[in-house]
Amino acid sequence: MLSHPSSSPTLPIRVLFIVIGIGLATFGSPGQGSLPPVTTASAWQAQRSGTLARLSAVFFTDREHGWVVGSNGLILLTEDGGNQWRRVPQRSWDLLRDVFFLDHQRGFVLGEYSLFNRPGNKLPKERSFLLASYDGGLSWQGMSFASSTTEGEDPRRYNGDGLLRLLFVDDRTGWACGEAGLILVTKDSGRSWQMQRSGVRKLLYNLTAIDDQQAWMVGAGGVILRTVDGGRNWNEQASGTTLTLRAIHFVDARRGWAIGAGGTILATTNGGNRWQKQSAEVEATLNDVVFTSAREGWVAGDHGTLLHTRDAGATWEDVSLSTRANLLRLFFIAPDCGWVVGTNGVIYKYQRVKDE
């Protein structure tokens, strides 16, 4: 089973990724008297989300059970692979940024308080919160990052900077990252969190990990950070760009890809010691990347941009969808099954009918 951004063998890879939308992808007209060919583009079909909200993240634990989160406290769940999505009742205007499930029952949602919804007993500057579910996402209970302390002897505490992404690599260990180089780690399934020193003050957009020791993060100004000791030390890698990097994914300890603004795609075959540019001949901001194997991968971006490679990124095929929505997150549960979600409530599902 695949997962993104972690490649832990016990959890799905998050590419976390079907696209939610209102229209269907359009394809070229077949010749007279012929049937339309099965193409990569035609394998993506829109699903009805029932909302025009910004959909921030998607996660599936198998081909049937999945969750999507977004603006205005929106949580959607499906039990049939996205044929039907239903809303989980929430009384909140908060922005939900990420979702991650350990199994069918246990899951987490990372959110950010709206200006008018910060609880009075929270720190004045606290912006992010965590929700936990133990019944498959039907109900959620709040958790706080406010008590987070820095690992080691440093008494500094989480100062309320916003968190953007959440990732667990096993049942107990997870990371979250966000503004001003903020990195938090949990080793007890989210019950408590500690700060880790990133060494940078830049916004960290995304993270990936292959186990509880090796992980990478990317962010503003082309920053790439790596740890090989569980986050006790984060070291900056030379990316060769100053453009914002919005997502990163590794399939093993050596091979990874990072994507971002201006159609930027970077690849490494040595754990990030050296990053090289790949060309997809697009200029749109790219928002997420996932590889289902060492050779096949997907990239999603603004204005319906969708890219596909079967040769580790040596060449990228433009298979953009017929939507102007920004595609924000991908998730693949298997090479032949994935989703992508984005603005305007779009959700698309990928199903490969036969070898392409």
Side-chain angles (χ1 to χ4, degrees):
M1 182 165 54
L2 298 174
S3 54
H4 166 48
S6 165
S7 52
S8 165
T10 60
L11 294 176
I13 295 180
R14 181 205 294 265
V15 169
L16 311 143
F17 305 119
I18 295 177
V19 184
I20 303 175
I22 299 193
L24 294 177
T26 58
F27 318 111
S29 300
Q32 185 176 4
S34 65
L35 294 175
V38 176
T39 66
T40 300
S42 64
W44 289 91
Q45 299 293 327
Q47 295 186 324
R48 292 185 178 274
S49 67
T51 180
L52 292 176
R54 176 189 179 94
L55 303 180
S56 306
V58 54
F59 196 94
F60 275 73
T61 51
D62 59 26
R63 292 175 184 261
E64 305 299 325
H65 297 82
W67 299 262
V68 167
V69 299
S71 57
N72 299 332
L74 180 70
I75 300 177
L76 302 175
L77 65 83
T78 182
E79 296 175 328
D80 59 7
N83 293 323
Q84 292 184 321
W85 290 91
R86 58 190 176 101
R87 186 189 299 250
V88 177
Q90 292 286 316
R91 296 181 180 179
S92 169
W93 292 102
D94 300 324
L95 171 62
L96 303 183
R97 291 191 175 276
D98 212 350
V99 58
F100 198 101
F101 269 73
L102 302 176
D103 52 43
H104 290 337
Q105 298 299 312
R106 298 177 298 157
F108 299 91
V109 166
L110 175 65
E112 181 175 320
Y113 292 116
S114 68
L115 261 172
F116 306 103
N117 199 37
R118 295 183 186 177
N121 62 341
K122 299 297 183 184
L123 294 177
K125 293 184 179 180
E126 186 176 2
R127 292 174 54 191
S128 295
F129 61 87
L130 194 65
L131 301 177
S133 177
Y134 302 97
D135 59 6
L138 297 175
S139 63
W140 297 87
Q141 60 188 48
M143 306 174 73
S144 174
F145 294 107
S147 61
S148 301
T149 58
T150 303
E151 286 187 311
E153 301 301 322
D154 194 325
R156 291 180 303 165
R157 293 178 178 269
Y158 165 55
N159 63 5
D161 287 327
L163 293 161
L164 273 68
R165 289 292 174 246
L166 174 72
L167 165 71
F168 279 83
V169 295
D170 55 38
D171 276 4
R172 299 182 59 83
T173 304
W175 278 284
C177 67
E179 296 177 343
L182 177 62
I183 300 175
L184 299 181
V185 66
T186 181
K187 298 178 181 178
D188 58 8
S189 303
R191 286 184 288 274
S192 65
W193 295 80
Q194 292 77 43
M195 290 178 61
Q196 293 183 330
R197 299 177 183 87
S198 68
V200 300
R201 296 288 296 170
K202 297 176 180 178
L203 175 63
L204 299 176
Y205 277 97
N206 196 266
L207 65 159
T208 184
I210 60 171
D211 55 35
D212 62 359
Q213 297 297 304
Q214 300 183 78
W216 293 259
M217 296 189 182
V218 294
V223 66
I224 301 179
L225 304 177
R226 183 192 186 189
T227 183
V228 295
D229 58 11
R232 287 182 292 276
N233 295 282
W234 287 93
N235 299 307
E236 190 167 357
Q237 296 183 323
S239 67
T241 183
T242 58
L243 294 174
T244 294
L245 297 176
R246 299 186 64 92
I248 186 168
H249 181 69
F250 271 72
V251 294
D252 55 35
R254 298 179 295 111
R255 293 168 292 186
W257 293 262
I259 55 88
T264 300
I265 302 178
L266 306 176
T268 182
T269 57
N270 58 10
N273 293 322
R274 183 183 180 188
W275 290 89
Q276 294 181 309
K277 291 184 178 180
Q278 295 183 337
S279 176
E281 298 183 356
V282 297
E283 297 182 357
T285 294
L286 304 178
N287 299 311
D288 204 9
V289 56
V290 62
F291 270 71
T292 57
S293 70
R295 296 186 62 80
E296 185 175 19
W298 298 87
V299 169
D302 286 357
H303 311 304
T305 299
L306 193 64
L307 307 174
H308 182 218
T309 182
R310 296 186 184 91
D311 56 14
T315 58
W316 288 90
E317 179 187 8
D318 187 342
V319 292
S320 295
L321 303 177
S322 59
T323 176
R324 296 300 294 169
N326 296 335
L327 305 180
L328 302 178
R329 294 297 291 278
L330 284 162
F331 191 98
F332 275 81
I333 197 68
D336 64 344
C337 183
W339 293 257
V340 61
V341 304
T343 58
N344 299 326
V346 300
I347 302 174
Y348 281 81
K349 181 178 182 177
Y350 175 78
Q351 294 187 94
R352 184 156 54 202
V353 179
K354 64 180 182 180
D355 291 338
E356 298 157 358

